[in-house]
């Protein structure tokens, strides 16, 4: 477990490098949008601001820590990190789940199956020898409810690793219940007077 925690701290320290990578990965998307606007298309709708994301997270975890272009916070015992790049208009919420070297081939297959049907908007991913639970989205078009759902799904996906591999109570193409954690997050924000 110590090696896992060490890798997590090491990753958090390299957040700035991750943000640069995000900017490079999505520069083509931004160029396409800029071209569309220059061609006279209607202005694209603006979405979530960093200030609003931070406000929502602060209402959910008063001990959250903002540093540079990242915010570390905890939801029901699950440590999460929000990384964003305003220039690239991208964000991601993530948390480490397991050591990649401990995965069997059957578990890797199960992760891919979950990404198809039970992970929903969150996903399992492998980077820096760790399995991660992540939610990715452009800031443009990201609504408050979708952002809160992304937090919930990321935390749930991490917690259900090794069991149901599900981000909520719903499975694509089946299931009939909504995620309980997501509902709890909305209730917490309502109790604290944070309008959503």
């Amino acid at each position: 477990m110590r090696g896992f925690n060490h890798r997590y701290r090491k990753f958090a320290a390299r957040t700035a490098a991750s943000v640069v990578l995000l900017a490079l990965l999505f520069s083509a998307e931004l160029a396409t949008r800029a071209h569309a606007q220059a061609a006279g298309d209607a202005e694209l709708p603006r979405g979530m601001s960093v200030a609003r994301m931070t406000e929502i997270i602060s209402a959910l975890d008063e001990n959250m820590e903002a540093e540079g272009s990242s915010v570390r916070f905890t939801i029901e015992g699950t440590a999460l990190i929000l990384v964003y790049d305003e220039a690239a208009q991208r964000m991601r919420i993530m948390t480490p789940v397991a050591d990649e070297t401990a995965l069997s081939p059957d578990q890797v297959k199960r992760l891919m199956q979950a990404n198809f049907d039970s992970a929903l908007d969150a996903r399992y991913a492998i980077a820096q020898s760790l399995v991660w639970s992540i939610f990715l989205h452009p800031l443009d078009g990201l609504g408050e409810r979708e952002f809160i759902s992304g937090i919930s799904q990321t935390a749930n996906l991490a917690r259900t690793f090794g069991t149901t591999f599900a981000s909520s109570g719903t499975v694509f193409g089946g299931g009939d219940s909504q995620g309980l954690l997501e509902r709890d997050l909305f209730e917490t924000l309502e109790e604290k007077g944070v309008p959503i």
Side-chain angles (χ1 to χ4, degrees):
M1 188 65 165
R2 189 178 342 154
F4 178 77
N5 288 333
H6 173 73
R7 280 194 217 110
Y8 180 75
R9 284 192 300 274
K10 191 175 178 182
F11 175 80
R14 291 188 286 187
T15 299
S18 296
V19 170
V20 170
L21 179 60
L22 279 172
L24 293 173
L25 290 173
F26 300 106
S27 62
E29 177 183 334
L30 293 175
T32 301
R33 289 174 178 234
H35 183 278
Q37 285 181 340
D41 291 350
E43 185 164 331
L44 295 168
R46 300 305 284 176
M48 185 68 69
S49 70
V50 170
R52 184 60 176 151
M53 288 190 297
T54 304
E55 178 185 10
I56 290 169
I57 290 171
S58 177
L60 296 171
D61 177 11
E62 61 188 31
N63 296 316
M64 66 103 183
E65 297 176 15
E67 182 180 329
S69 56
S70 68
V71 179
R72 287 184 208 87
F73 60 106
T74 302
I75 298 294
E76 293 193 3
T78 301
L80 300 160
I81 184 168
L82 164 70
V83 180
Y84 55 85
D85 182 344
E86 289 183 283
Q89 284 293 298
R90 297 297 298 195
M91 59 75 67
R92 70 173 56 190
I93 302 164
M94 56 194 167
T95 188
V97 175
D99 193 323
E100 173 194 11
T101 60
L103 294 180
S104 69
D106 286 343
Q107 287 175 312
V108 173
K109 180 179 179 181
R110 184 64 190 100
L111 293 179
M112 295 301 97
Q113 291 170 329
N115 279 348
F116 184 80
D117 60 12
S118 60
L120 300 183
D121 301 322
R123 291 286 180 265
Y124 288 113
I126 295 176
Q128 301 178 1
S129 300
L130 293 174
V131 177
W132 296 84
S133 171
I134 62 170
F135 171 79
L136 312 160
H137 204 285
L139 292 175
D140 285 343
L142 177 61
E144 294 174 343
R145 290 186 172 274
E146 192 172 22
F147 176 67
I148 296 163
S149 178
I151 293 171
S152 169
Q153 288 186 46
T154 304
N156 279 330
L157 201 58
R159 279 201 291 269
T160 61
F161 174 82
T163 57
T164 62
F165 297 90
S167 64
S168 75
T170 303
V171 174
F172 185 75
D176 58 4
S177 61
Q178 296 297 318
L180 297 176
L181 177 57
E182 184 174 329
R183 201 169 330 149
D184 290 345
L185 295 180
F186 281 111
E187 288 175 7
T188 298
L189 291 169
E190 185 177 324
E191 288 170 8
K192 293 187 175 193
V194 178
I196 299 295

